[in-house]
Amino acid sequence: MTAAEYNKCVDLHSDGLYRFLLKNVKDRDKAKDLVQETFTKLWTKAEEVSFEKAKSYLFTSGYHTMIDAMRREKRHLDYTSDALKTSMTNTQRQYSDLHDVLNEALDQLPPIQKSVIMLRDYEGYSYEEIEEITGLNESQVKVYIYRARVTLKAYIGKIENVL
C-alpha cells in the first residue's frame, strides 16, 4: 500500500471505525486513541496489506485493539441473567426518544454480542466479514446476533412502549 492509498483509507474508513469503537467503549477519547492505534498498526503493515483489504484489516485490528484495551482496564462486567431480568423490568416506563432506548438496550448486551450486532446491523457487514473481523466461526456469529436480537427485543418490549 502506498502513502496515497493509506491516506485514502484514513479518509474512507476513519469515521466508520470511530463510530464502531465509540459505540463499544462509550468514551470519545478512548475511541479516538483506539482509532489512532489501529491506523498506526495499518501503517506498520502497509507493505503487507493491500488497499482492497484495508477496511477489513482496520475493523479486525480495531476490534482486537479494543478487546485488548478492555482486558488491560479489567472492565469486563459480569453479565448474569438476573441483571438482565432486572434491567428488562425497569424498561416498562415510557420513552420519547428511540435512539436513547436503543443505546440503553445495547449497553445491556455482553461485549461480544454488542460487537457483532453493531457490525451486522450498524455497519452492514456480512456474516463472513464479521467472522473474519472477530475470529469467530460463522455459526457462532449467527448465534451471538440471534441472542443479541432476542435480548434487545425483550428489553425494548412492545413498540408502543417506545413511541
Side-chain angles (χ1 to χ4, degrees):
M1 174 182 310
T2 65
E5 289 174 331
Y6 176 83
N7 290 334
K8 189 171 183 180
C9 283
V10 172
D11 292 339
L12 292 174
H13 307 302
S14 60
D15 290 338
L17 182 62
Y18 173 74
R19 281 192 315 271
F20 170 69
L21 295 170
L22 180 62
K23 282 282 189 184
N24 282 289
V25 297
K26 296 290 187 204
D27 184 332
R28 290 176 189 225
D29 292 330
K30 287 180 186 171
K32 288 177 183 177
D33 289 343
L34 291 170
V35 169
Q36 183 68 36
E37 191 174 335
T38 302
F39 275 100
T40 301
K41 288 179 181 180
L42 176 63
W43 181 251
T44 59
K45 298 216 179 224
E47 292 182 10
E48 300 170 25
V49 179
S50 69
F51 178 73
E52 294 78 23
K53 301 271 185 177
K55 182 177 181 183
S56 177
Y57 176 84
L58 285 168
F59 275 84
T60 302
S61 181
Y63 172 78
H64 290 292
T65 303
M66 175 188 67
I67 294 298
D68 291 344
M70 291 172 80
R71 287 180 181 154
R72 278 192 308 266
E73 295 174 6
K74 298 182 190 220
R75 288 194 176 194
H76 288 282
L77 300 175
D78 181 29
Y79 290 98
T80 62
S81 59
D82 292 336
L84 280 176
K85 287 178 188 174
T86 303
S87 299
M88 286 184 234
T89 58
N90 291 336
T91 60
Q92 298 304 317
R93 62 187 186 274
Q94 295 290 323
Y95 286 99
S96 61
D97 190 5
L98 181 59
H99 187 264
D100 291 341
V101 175
L102 289 174
N103 284 333
E104 188 176 314
L106 281 170
D107 288 340
Q108 302 303 315
L109 295 174
I112 187 66
Q113 288 182 12
K114 183 176 179 180
S115 295
V116 296
I117 199 78
M118 289 179 56
L119 286 169
R120 178 70 178 167
D121 294 337
Y122 280 74
E123 298 296 330
Y125 281 100
S126 69
Y127 292 120
E128 294 81 18
E129 291 170 322
I130 296 170
E131 174 185 354
E132 188 177 314
I133 290 170
T134 60
L136 301 169
N137 66 43
E138 188 174 345
S139 62
Q140 288 173 315
V141 169
K142 289 179 180 180
V143 167
Y144 282 132
I145 289 173
Y146 172 78
R147 288 179 183 167
R149 287 177 178 163
V150 167
T151 303
L152 291 173
K153 182 179 177 183
Y155 184 87
I156 293 172
K158 296 180 181 177
I159 193 69
E160 294 82 24
N161 293 340
V162 177
L163 300 176

